[in-house]
Coordinates of all heavy atoms in Angstrom, one line a residue:
V1433 N 109.5 109.6 113.0 CA 108.7 110.0 111.9 C 107.6 109.0 111.6 O 106.4 109.3 111.4 CB 109.5 110.1 110.7 CG1 108.6 110.3 109.3 CG2 110.5 111.3 110.7
W1434 N 108.0 107.7 111.8 CA 106.9 106.6 111.4 C 105.8 106.7 112.5 O 104.7 106.5 112.2 CB 107.6 105.2 111.5 CG 106.9 104.1 111.6 CD1 105.9 103.7 110.7 CD2 106.5 103.3 112.7 NE1 105.1 102.6 111.1 CE2 105.6 102.4 112.4 CE3 107.1 103.2 114.0 CZ2 105.2 101.4 113.3 CZ3 106.7 102.3 114.9 CH2 105.7 101.4 114.5
E1435 N 106.2 106.9 113.8 CA 105.2 106.9 114.8 C 104.3 108.1 114.7 O 103.0 108.1 114.9 CB 105.8 106.9 116.2 CG 106.4 105.6 116.6 CD 107.0 105.6 118.0 OE1 107.3 106.6 118.5 OE2 107.1 104.4 118.5
R1436 N 104.8 109.2 114.2 CA 103.9 110.5 114.1 C 103.2 110.5 112.8 O 102.2 111.1 112.6 CB 104.8 111.7 114.1 CG 105.3 112.0 115.5 CD 106.0 113.2 115.6 NE 106.5 113.6 117.0 CZ 106.6 114.7 117.5 NH1 106.3 115.8 116.7 NH2 107.0 114.8 118.7
H1437 N 103.7 109.8 111.8 CA 103.1 109.6 110.5 C 102.8 108.2 110.0 O 103.4 107.9 108.9 CB 103.8 110.4 109.5 CG 104.0 111.9 109.9 ND1 103.1 112.9 109.7 CD2 105.1 112.5 110.5 CE1 103.7 114.0 110.2 NE2 104.9 113.8 110.7
P1438 N 102.1 107.4 110.8 CA 101.9 106.0 110.3 C 101.3 105.8 109.0 O 101.4 104.7 108.3 CB 101.1 105.3 111.5 CG 100.3 106.6 112.1 CD 101.2 107.8 111.8
D1439 N 100.5 106.8 108.4 CA 99.8 106.6 107.1 C 100.6 107.2 106.0 O 100.0 107.6 104.9 CB 98.4 107.3 107.3 CG 97.7 106.5 108.4 OD1 97.8 105.2 108.4 OD2 96.8 107.1 108.9
A1440 N 101.8 107.6 106.2 CA 102.6 108.3 105.1 C 102.6 107.3 103.8 O 102.7 106.2 104.1 CB 104.0 108.5 105.6
D1441 N 102.6 108.0 102.7 CA 102.6 107.1 101.5 C 104.0 106.4 101.4 O 104.1 105.3 100.9 CB 102.4 108.0 100.2 CG 101.0 108.6 100.2 OD1 100.1 107.8 100.7 OD2 100.8 109.5 99.6
A1442 N 105.1 107.1 101.8 CA 106.4 106.4 101.5 C 107.4 107.0 102.7 O 107.2 108.1 103.2 CB 107.0 106.9 100.2
Y1443 N 108.3 106.2 103.0 CA 109.4 106.5 104.0 C 110.7 106.4 103.2 O 111.1 105.3 102.8 CB 109.4 105.7 105.2 CG 108.1 105.7 105.9 CD1 107.2 104.7 105.8 CD2 107.9 106.8 106.9 CE1 106.0 104.8 106.6 CE2 106.7 106.8 107.6 CZ 105.7 105.8 107.4 OH 104.6 105.8 108.1
V1444 N 111.5 107.5 103.0 CA 112.8 107.5 102.4 C 113.7 107.6 103.6 O 113.8 108.6 104.3 CB 113.1 108.6 101.5 CG1 114.4 108.6 100.9 CG2 112.0 108.6 100.4
C1445 N 114.5 106.5 103.8 CA 115.4 106.3 105.0 C 116.9 106.7 104.7 O 117.2 106.6 103.4 CB 115.4 104.9 105.4 SG 113.7 104.3 106.0
L1446 N 117.5 107.2 105.6 CA 118.9 107.5 105.4 C 119.9 106.5 105.2 O 121.0 106.7 104.7 CB 119.3 108.4 106.6 CG 118.7 109.8 106.9 CD1 119.1 110.3 108.1 CD2 118.9 110.7 105.7
S1447 N 119.5 105.3 105.4 CA 120.4 104.1 105.1 C 119.5 103.0 104.8 O 118.4 102.8 105.2 CB 121.3 103.9 106.3 OG 120.7 103.3 107.3
D1448 N 120.1 102.0 104.2 CA 119.3 100.6 104.1 C 119.1 99.9 105.4 O 118.1 99.3 105.6 CB 120.2 99.8 103.1 CG 120.1 100.2 101.7 OD1 119.3 101.1 101.3 OD2 120.9 99.7 100.9
Q1449 N 120.1 100.1 106.3 CA 119.9 99.5 107.6 C 118.7 100.0 108.4 O 117.8 99.3 108.8 CB 121.1 99.7 108.6 CG 122.3 99.0 108.1 CD 123.1 99.8 107.1 OE1 122.8 100.7 106.4 NE2 124.4 99.1 106.7
I1450 N 118.3 101.4 108.2 CA 117.2 102.0 108.9 C 115.9 101.4 108.1 O 114.9 101.2 108.7 CB 117.3 103.6 108.8 CG1 118.4 103.9 109.8 CG2 115.9 104.1 109.2 CD1 118.7 105.5 109.6
A1451 N 116.0 101.3 106.8 CA 115.0 100.9 106.0 C 114.5 99.5 106.3 O 113.3 99.3 106.4 CB 115.2 101.0 104.5
V1452 N 115.5 98.6 106.5 CA 115.2 97.2 106.9 C 114.5 97.2 108.3 O 113.6 96.5 108.5 CB 116.5 96.4 106.8 CG1 116.3 95.0 107.5 CG2 117.0 96.2 105.3
G1453 N 115.1 98.0 109.2 CA 114.5 98.2 110.6 C 113.0 98.5 110.4 O 112.2 98.0 111.1
L1454 N 112.8 99.6 109.6 CA 111.4 100.1 109.4 C 110.5 99.0 108.8 O 109.3 98.8 109.2 CB 111.4 101.4 108.6 CG 110.0 102.0 108.3 CD1 109.2 102.3 109.6 CD2 110.2 103.2 107.5
K1455 N 111.0 98.3 107.9 CA 110.3 97.2 107.3 C 109.8 96.2 108.4 O 108.6 95.8 108.4 CB 111.2 96.5 106.2 CG 110.4 95.3 105.7 CD 111.2 94.4 104.7 CE 110.6 93.3 104.1 NZ 111.2 92.5 103.2
H1456 N 110.8 95.8 109.2 CA 110.4 94.9 110.3 C 109.4 95.5 111.2 O 108.5 94.8 111.7 CB 111.6 94.4 111.0 CG 112.5 93.5 110.2 ND1 112.1 92.3 109.9 CD2 113.7 93.8 109.7 CE1 113.1 91.8 109.1 NE2 114.0 92.6 108.9
L1457 N 109.4 96.8 111.5 CA 108.4 97.4 112.4 C 107.1 97.3 111.7 O 106.0 97.0 112.4 CB 108.8 98.9 112.6 CG 109.9 99.1 113.7 CD1 110.2 100.6 113.7 CD2 109.3 98.7 115.1
L1458 N 107.1 97.7 110.4 CA 105.8 97.7 109.7 C 105.2 96.3 109.6 O 104.0 96.1 109.7 CB 105.9 98.3 108.3 CG 106.2 99.8 108.2 CD1 106.4 100.3 106.9 CD2 105.1 100.6 108.9
L1459 N 106.0 95.3 109.4 CA 105.7 93.9 109.4 C 105.0 93.4 110.6 O 104.0 92.9 110.7 CB 106.7 92.9 108.9 CG 107.3 93.0 107.4 CD1 108.5 92.3 107.2 CD2 106.1 92.5 106.5
C1460 N 105.6 93.8 111.8 CA 105.1 93.6 113.0 C 103.8 94.2 113.3 O 102.9 93.7 114.2 CB 106.1 94.0 114.1 SG 107.5 92.9 114.2
R1461 N 103.4 95.4 112.7 CA 102.3 96.0 112.8 C 101.2 95.6 111.8 O 100.1 96.3 111.7 CB 102.5 97.5 112.7 CG 103.4 98.2 113.8 CD 102.6 98.1 115.2 NE 103.3 98.5 116.4 CZ 103.3 99.7 116.9 NH1 102.4 100.5 116.5 NH2 104.0 99.9 117.9
G1462 N 101.5 94.5 111.1 CA 100.4 94.0 110.3 C 100.5 94.4 108.7 O 99.7 94.0 108.0
C1463 N 101.5 95.1 108.3 CA 101.6 95.6 107.0 C 102.1 94.3 106.2 O 102.9 93.4 106.7 CB 102.7 96.6 106.8 SG 102.1 98.2 107.3
S1464 N 101.8 94.2 105.0 CA 102.2 93.0 104.1 C 103.6 93.3 103.5 O 104.0 94.5 103.4 CB 101.2 92.8 103.0 OG 101.3 93.9 102.0
E1465 N 104.2 92.3 103.0 CA 105.4 92.5 102.3 C 105.4 93.4 101.1 O 106.3 94.4 100.9 CB 106.0 91.1 101.7 CG 106.6 90.2 102.7 CD 108.1 90.6 103.1 OE1 108.8 91.3 102.3 OE2 108.5 90.1 104.2
D1466 N 104.3 93.3 100.4 CA 104.0 94.2 99.2 C 103.8 95.7 99.6 O 104.4 96.6 99.0 CB 102.7 93.8 98.4 CG 103.0 92.5 97.6 OD1 104.2 92.1 97.3 OD2 102.1 91.8 97.2
E1467 N 103.1 95.8 100.7 CA 103.0 97.2 101.2 C 104.2 97.8 101.6 O 104.6 99.0 101.3 CB 102.0 97.3 102.3 CG 101.6 98.6 102.8 CD 100.6 98.7 104.0 OE1 100.1 97.6 104.3 OE2 100.3 99.9 104.4
C1468 N 105.1 97.0 102.3 CA 106.4 97.5 102.8 C 107.2 97.9 101.5 O 107.9 98.9 101.5 CB 107.1 96.4 103.6 SG 106.5 96.3 105.2
R1469 N 107.1 97.0 100.5 CA 108.0 97.2 99.3 C 107.6 98.6 98.6 O 108.5 99.3 98.1 CB 107.8 96.0 98.4 CG 108.7 96.1 97.1 CD 108.6 94.8 96.2 NE 108.9 93.6 97.0 CZ 108.0 92.7 97.1 NH1 106.8 92.7 96.6 NH2 108.3 91.5 97.8
E1470 N 106.4 99.0 98.6 CA 105.7 100.1 98.1 C 106.1 101.4 98.8 O 106.1 102.4 98.3 CB 104.3 100.0 97.7 CG 104.0 98.9 96.8 CD 102.4 98.7 96.7 OE1 101.7 99.4 97.5 OE2 102.0 97.7 96.0
R1471 N 106.3 101.3 100.1 CA 106.4 102.5 100.9 C 107.8 102.7 101.4 O 108.0 103.8 102.0 CB 105.4 102.2 102.2 CG 104.0 102.2 101.9 CD 103.2 101.9 103.1 NE 103.1 103.0 104.0 CZ 102.7 102.9 105.3 NH1 102.1 101.8 105.6 NH2 102.7 104.0 106.1
I1472 N 108.7 101.9 101.3 CA 110.0 102.0 102.0 C 111.1 102.2 100.9 O 111.3 101.3 100.1 CB 110.5 100.9 103.0 CG1 109.3 100.9 104.0 CG2 111.8 101.1 103.6 CD1 109.5 99.7 104.9
V1473 N 112.0 103.1 101.1 CA 113.2 103.4 100.2 C 114.4 103.6 101.1 O 114.3 104.4 101.9 CB 112.9 104.5 99.2 CG1 114.2 104.7 98.4 CG2 111.8 104.3 98.4
G1474 N 115.5 102.9 100.7 CA 116.7 103.1 101.4 C 117.7 104.0 100.6 O 117.2 104.6 99.7
C1475 N 118.9 104.2 101.1 CA 119.8 105.2 100.4 C 121.3 104.6 100.3 O 122.2 105.4 100.3 CB 119.8 106.5 101.1 SG 118.5 107.5 100.7
D1476 N 121.4 103.2 100.0 CA 122.7 102.8 99.9 C 122.9 102.0 98.7 O 124.1 101.7 98.2 CB 123.2 102.0 101.1 CG 123.2 102.8 102.4 OD1 123.6 104.0 102.4 OD2 122.8 102.3 103.4
G1477 N 121.8 101.4 98.3 CA 121.9 100.4 97.1 C 122.7 99.1 97.5 O 123.5 98.6 96.8
S1478 N 122.6 98.7 98.8 CA 123.4 97.6 99.4 C 122.8 96.3 99.2 O 121.7 96.0 98.8 CB 123.6 98.0 100.9 OG 122.4 97.6 101.5
A1479 N 123.6 95.3 99.5 CA 123.3 93.8 99.4 C 122.2 93.7 100.5 O 121.3 92.9 100.3 CB 124.4 93.1 99.7
L1480 N 122.2 94.3 101.6 CA 121.1 94.3 102.6 C 119.7 94.6 102.1 O 118.9 94.0 102.3 CB 121.4 95.2 103.8 CG 120.5 95.2 105.0 CD1 120.4 93.8 105.6 CD2 120.8 96.2 106.0
A1481 N 119.7 95.7 101.2 CA 118.5 96.1 100.6 C 118.0 95.0 99.6 O 116.8 94.8 99.6 CB 118.6 97.4 99.9
R1482 N 119.0 94.5 98.9 CA 118.7 93.4 98.0 C 118.0 92.3 98.7 O 117.0 91.7 98.3 CB 119.8 93.1 97.1 CG 119.6 92.0 96.0 CD 120.7 91.7 95.2 NE 122.0 91.5 95.9 CZ 123.1 92.3 96.0 NH1 123.0 93.5 95.3 NH2 124.1 92.0 96.8
E1483 N 118.7 91.8 99.8 CA 118.2 90.7 100.5 C 116.8 91.0 101.2 O 116.0 90.0 101.2 CB 119.2 90.3 101.6 CG 120.5 89.8 101.1 CD 121.6 89.7 102.1 OE1 121.3 89.9 103.4 OE2 122.8 89.5 101.7
A1484 N 116.6 92.2 101.6 CA 115.2 92.5 102.2 C 114.2 92.9 101.2 O 113.1 93.1 101.6 CB 115.5 93.7 103.2
K1485 N 114.7 93.0 99.9 CA 113.7 93.3 98.8 C 113.2 94.7 99.1 O 111.9 94.9 98.9 CB 112.6 92.3 98.6 CG 113.2 90.9 98.1 CD 112.0 89.9 97.8 CE 112.6 88.7 97.3 NZ 113.4 87.9 98.1
I1486 N 114.1 95.7 99.4 CA 113.6 97.1 99.5 C 114.3 97.9 98.4 O 115.5 97.7 98.2 CB 114.1 97.6 100.9 CG1 113.4 96.8 102.1 CG2 113.9 99.1 101.1 CD1 113.9 97.1 103.4
A1487 N 113.5 98.8 97.8 CA 114.1 99.7 96.9 C 115.1 100.6 97.6 O 115.0 100.9 98.7 CB 113.0 100.6 96.2
S1488 N 116.2 101.0 96.9 CA 117.2 101.8 97.5 C 117.8 102.7 96.5 O 118.0 102.4 95.3 CB 118.3 100.9 98.1 OG 119.3 101.6 98.7
L1489 N 118.2 103.9 96.9 CA 118.8 104.8 96.0 C 120.3 104.6 96.1 O 121.0 104.7 97.1 CB 118.6 106.3 96.6 CG 117.2 106.8 96.5 CD1 117.0 108.1 97.2 CD2 116.8 107.0 95.1
S1490 N 120.8 104.2 95.0 CA 122.3 104.0 94.8 C 123.0 105.3 94.7 O 122.8 106.0 93.8 CB 122.6 103.1 93.7 OG 124.0 103.0 93.5
Q1491 N 123.9 105.6 95.5 CA 124.6 106.9 95.6 C 125.8 106.8 94.7 O 126.6 107.9 94.7 CB 124.9 107.4 97.0 CG 123.6 107.4 97.9 CD 124.0 107.7 99.3 OE1 124.5 108.9 99.5 NE2 123.7 106.9 100.1
G1492 N 126.2 105.7 94.2 CA 127.4 105.6 93.3 C 128.7 105.7 94.2 O 129.6 106.3 93.8
L1493 N 128.7 105.1 95.3 CA 129.7 105.2 96.3 C 131.0 104.6 95.7 O 132.1 105.2 96.0 CB 129.4 104.4 97.6 CG 128.3 105.1 98.4 CD1 128.1 104.3 99.6 CD2 128.5 106.5 98.7
E1494 N 131.0 103.7 94.9 CA 132.1 103.2 94.1 C 132.7 104.2 93.3 O 134.0 104.4 93.2 CB 131.9 101.9 93.4 CG 131.4 100.7 94.2 CD 129.9 100.6 94.5 OE1 129.2 101.5 94.0 OE2 129.5 99.8 95.3
E1495 N 131.9 104.8 92.6 CA 132.3 106.0 91.7 C 132.9 107.1 92.5 O 134.0 107.7 92.1 CB 131.0 106.5 90.8 CG 131.4 107.5 89.8 CD 130.1 108.0 89.1 OE1 129.2 107.3 89.2 OE2 130.3 109.1 88.6
V1496 N 132.3 107.4 93.6 CA 132.8 108.5 94.4 C 134.2 108.1 95.0 O 135.1 108.9 94.9 CB 131.9 108.8 95.6 CG1 132.4 109.8 96.6 CG2 130.5 109.4 95.1
G1497 N 134.3 106.9 95.6 CA 135.6 106.4 96.1 C 136.6 106.5 95.1 O 137.9 106.9 95.3
K1498 N 136.4 105.9 93.8 CA 137.4 105.8 92.9 C 137.8 107.3 92.4 O 139.1 107.5 92.3 CB 136.9 105.1 91.6 CG 138.0 104.9 90.5 CD 137.5 104.3 89.3 CE 138.5 104.2 88.2 NZ 139.5 105.1 88.1
S1499 N 136.9 108.1 92.3 CA 137.3 109.5 91.9 C 138.0 110.2 92.9 O 139.1 110.9 92.7 CB 135.9 110.3 91.6 OG 136.2 111.6 91.3
A1500 N 137.6 110.0 94.2 CA 138.5 110.6 95.4 C 139.9 110.1 95.4 O 140.8 110.8 95.5 CB 137.8 110.4 96.6
L1501 N 140.1 108.8 95.3 CA 141.4 108.1 95.3 C 142.2 108.5 94.1 O 143.4 108.9 94.3 CB 141.2 106.6 95.3 CG 142.5 105.9 95.6 CD1 143.1 106.2 96.9 CD2 142.3 104.3 95.6
D1502 N 141.6 108.6 93.0 CA 142.3 109.0 91.8 C 142.8 110.6 92.0 O 144.0 110.7 91.6 CB 141.5 109.1 90.5 CG 141.2 107.7 90.0 OD1 141.8 106.7 90.4 OD2 140.2 107.5 89.2
R1503 N 142.0 111.4 92.5 CA 142.5 112.8 92.6 C 143.5 112.9 93.8 O 144.4 113.7 93.7 CB 141.2 113.6 93.1 CG 140.4 113.8 91.8 CD 139.0 114.5 92.1 NE 138.2 114.4 91.0 CZ 138.1 115.2 89.9 NH1 139.0 116.3 89.9 NH2 137.2 115.0 89.0
L1504 N 143.4 112.0 94.8 CA 144.3 112.1 95.8 C 145.8 111.6 95.4 O 146.8 112.1 95.7 CB 143.9 111.3 97.1 CG 144.8 111.2 98.2 CD1 145.0 112.6 98.9 CD2 144.2 110.3 99.3
C1505 N 145.7 110.5 94.5 CA 146.9 110.1 93.9 C 147.7 111.2 93.1 O 148.9 111.3 93.1 CB 146.7 108.8 93.1 SG 146.4 107.4 94.2
I1506 N 146.8 111.8 92.3 CA 147.4 113.0 91.5 C 147.9 114.1 92.4 O 149.1 114.5 92.1 CB 146.3 113.5 90.5 CG1 145.9 112.5 89.6 CG2 146.8 114.9 89.9 CD1 144.7 112.8 88.7
L1507 N 147.3 114.4 93.4 CA 147.7 115.4 94.3 C 149.1 115.0 95.0 O 150.0 115.8 95.1 CB 146.7 115.8 95.4 CG 146.9 116.8 96.3 CD1 146.9 118.2 95.5 CD2 145.7 116.8 97.4
L1508 N 149.1 113.8 95.4 CA 150.3 113.3 96.2 C 151.5 113.3 95.2 O 152.5 113.5 95.6 CB 150.0 112.0 96.9 CG 149.1 112.0 98.0 CD1 148.8 110.6 98.5 CD2 149.6 112.9 99.0
D1509 N 151.3 112.9 94.0 CA 152.4 112.8 92.9 C 153.0 114.3 92.7 O 154.1 114.4 92.5 CB 151.9 112.2 91.6 CG 151.7 110.8 91.7 OD1 152.1 110.1 92.6 OD2 151.0 110.3 90.8
Q1510 N 152.1 115.3 92.8 CA 152.6 116.6 92.6 C 153.4 117.1 93.8 O 154.3 118.0 93.5 CB 151.4 117.5 92.4 CG 150.6 117.4 91.1 CD 149.3 118.3 91.2 OE1 148.9 118.9 92.1 NE2 148.5 118.2 90.1
Y1511 N 153.2 116.6 94.9 CA 153.8 117.1 96.1 C 155.0 116.1 96.5 O 155.6 116.3 97.6 CB 152.9 117.3 97.2 CG 152.1 118.5 97.0 CD1 150.9 118.5 96.4 CD2 152.6 119.8 97.5 CE1 150.1 119.6 96.2 CE2 151.8 120.9 97.3 CZ 150.5 120.8 96.7 OH 149.8 122.0 96.4
E1512 N 155.3 115.1 95.8 CA 156.4 114.2 96.1 C 157.7 114.9 96.5 O 158.2 115.8 95.7 CB 156.6 113.2 95.0 CG 157.6 112.1 95.4 CD 157.7 111.0 94.4 OE1 156.7 110.8 93.6 OE2 158.7 110.5 94.3
G1513 N 158.3 114.7 97.6 CA 159.4 115.2 98.1 C 159.4 116.6 98.5 O 160.4 117.3 99.1
R1514 N 158.2 117.3 98.7 CA 158.1 118.5 99.2 C 157.0 118.4 100.5 O 156.4 117.5 100.5 CB 157.4 119.5 98.2 CG 158.3 119.7 97.0 CD 157.8 120.8 96.1 NE 157.2 120.0 95.1 CZ 156.2 120.5 94.2 NH1 155.9 121.7 94.3 NH2 155.6 119.8 93.4
E1515 N 157.0 119.6 101.2 CA 156.1 119.6 102.4 C 154.7 119.6 101.8 O 154.4 120.4 101.0 CB 156.3 120.9 103.2 CG 155.5 120.9 104.4 CD 155.7 122.2 105.2 OE1 156.9 122.5 105.4 OE2 154.8 122.7 105.7
F1516 N 153.8 118.8 102.3 CA 152.5 118.5 101.7 C 151.4 119.5 102.5 O 151.4 119.5 103.8 CB 152.2 117.1 101.8 CG 150.7 116.8 101.3 CD1 150.5 116.8 100.0 CD2 149.7 116.7 102.2 CE1 149.2 116.6 99.4 CE2 148.4 116.5 101.7 CZ 148.2 116.4 100.3
T1517 N 150.7 120.2 101.8 CA 149.5 120.9 102.3 C 148.4 120.7 101.3 O 148.5 120.8 100.0 CB 149.8 122.5 102.5 OG1 150.2 123.0 101.2 CG2 150.8 122.6 103.5
F1518 N 147.1 120.5 101.8 CA 146.0 120.4 101.0 C 145.7 121.7 100.3 O 145.7 122.7 101.0 CB 144.7 119.8 101.8 CG 144.8 118.3 101.9 CD1 145.2 117.8 103.1 CD2 144.5 117.5 100.9 CE1 145.2 116.5 103.3 CE2 144.4 116.2 101.0 CZ 144.8 115.7 102.2
P1519 N 145.2 121.8 99.0 CA 144.8 123.0 98.5 C 143.5 123.4 99.2 O 142.7 122.7 99.6 CB 144.6 122.7 97.1 CG 144.5 121.2 97.0 CD 145.2 120.6 98.2
Q1520 N 143.2 124.7 99.2 CA 142.1 125.3 99.8 C 140.8 125.2 99.0 O 139.7 125.1 99.5 CB 142.3 126.7 100.2 CG 143.4 127.0 101.3 CD 143.1 126.2 102.6 OE1 141.9 126.3 103.0 NE2 143.9 125.4 103.1
E1521 N 140.9 125.1 97.7 CA 139.7 125.1 96.9 C 139.1 123.7 96.8 O 139.8 122.7 96.9 CB 140.1 125.6 95.3 CG 141.1 124.7 94.7 CD 142.5 125.0 94.9 OE1 142.7 126.1 95.6 OE2 143.3 124.3 94.6
A1522 N 137.8 123.7 96.7 CA 137.0 122.5 96.6 C 136.4 122.4 95.2 O 136.3 123.4 94.4 CB 135.9 122.4 97.6
E1523 N 136.2 121.2 94.8 CA 135.5 121.0 93.4 C 134.3 120.1 93.6 O 134.4 119.0 94.3 CB 136.5 120.3 92.6 CG 136.2 120.1 91.1 CD 137.1 119.3 90.4 OE1 138.3 119.2 90.8 OE2 136.8 118.9 89.3
E1524 N 133.2 120.5 93.0 CA 132.1 119.7 92.9 C 132.2 118.6 91.9 O 132.6 118.9 90.7 CB 130.9 120.4 92.6 CG 129.6 119.6 92.7 CD 128.3 120.6 92.5 OE1 128.3 121.7 93.0 OE2 127.3 120.0 92.0
I1525 N 132.0 117.3 92.2 CA 132.1 116.2 91.2 C 130.7 115.5 91.0 O 130.2 115.0 92.1 CB 133.1 115.2 91.6 CG1 134.5 115.9 91.8 CG2 133.3 114.1 90.6 CD1 135.5 115.0 92.5
P1526 N 130.1 115.7 89.9 CA 128.8 115.0 89.8 C 128.9 113.5 89.7 O 129.9 112.9 89.2 CB 128.3 115.5 88.4 CG 129.5 115.9 87.7 CD 130.6 116.3 88.7
V1527 N 128.0 112.8 90.4 CA 127.8 111.3 90.4 C 126.5 110.9 90.0 O 125.6 111.7 90.2 CB 128.3 110.8 91.7 CG1 129.8 111.0 92.1 CG2 127.4 111.2 92.9
T1528 N 126.3 109.7 89.5 CA 124.9 109.2 89.2 C 124.4 108.6 90.4 O 124.9 107.9 91.1 CB 125.1 108.1 88.0 OG1 125.8 108.6 86.9 CG2 123.8 107.6 87.7
V1529 N 123.1 109.0 90.7 CA 122.3 108.5 91.7 C 121.1 107.7 91.0 O 120.4 108.4 90.2 CB 121.7 109.6 92.7 CG1 120.8 108.9 93.8 CG2 122.9 110.2 93.4
R1530 N 120.8 106.6 91.4 CA 119.7 105.9 90.7 C 118.9 105.0 91.7 O 119.5 104.6 92.6 CB 120.2 105.0 89.4 CG 121.1 103.9 89.8 CD 121.7 103.1 88.6 NE 122.1 101.9 89.0 CZ 123.2 101.5 89.7 NH1 123.9 102.5 90.2 NH2 123.5 100.3 89.9
L1531 N 117.6 104.8 91.3 CA 116.8 104.1 92.2 C 116.9 102.5 91.8 O 116.8 102.2 90.6 CB 115.3 104.5 92.1 CG 114.4 103.7 92.9 CD1 114.6 103.9 94.4 CD2 113.0 104.0 92.7
V1532 N 117.3 101.8 92.7 CA 117.4 100.3 92.4 C 116.3 99.5 93.1 O 116.1 99.7 94.4 CB 118.7 99.7 92.9 CG1 119.0 98.3 92.6 CG2 119.9 100.6 92.4
E1533 N 115.6 98.8 92.4 CA 114.4 98.1 92.9 C 114.7 96.6 93.0 O 115.1 96.0 92.1 CB 113.1 98.3 92.2 CG 112.7 99.8 92.2 CD 111.4 100.0 91.5 OE1 111.5 100.2 90.2 OE2 110.3 99.8 92.2
Y1534 N 114.8 96.0 94.2 CA 115.0 94.6 94.3 C 113.7 93.8 94.6 O 113.1 94.0 95.6 CB 116.0 94.4 95.6 CG 117.4 95.1 95.5 CD1 117.6 96.2 96.3 CD2 118.2 94.7 94.5 CE1 118.8 96.8 96.2 CE2 119.5 95.4 94.5 CZ 119.7 96.5 95.2 OH 121.0 97.2 95.1
Y1535 N 113.4 93.0 93.6 CA 112.1 92.2 93.7 C 112.5 90.8 93.4 O 113.3 90.4 92.7 CB 111.1 92.7 92.7 CG 110.6 94.0 93.0 CD1 111.0 95.2 92.3 CD2 109.6 94.2 94.1 CE1 110.6 96.5 92.7 CE2 109.2 95.5 94.5 CZ 109.7 96.5 93.7 OH 109.2 97.8 94.0

């Protein structure tokens, strides 16, 4: 995407690792730190993004993990001593996603 669209206003990367790699590519091509900061967004809200000073979408992974574990514990408690099968229905659980800017 970067090679085909070098003049894009912004690049939203699928992970902070990809965002940091893109930042280094842009720096090697003459972009300034400020320009990189304005054009690159990661998607993990990780310490790596903080160290690289890249904005990142925090997906609330801690919240997702806690919710999943809580629900799994409830499910396992219900099936204690019986043959276990997962229920077929799925449930959508809303989580907070926020943009974190590291400067």
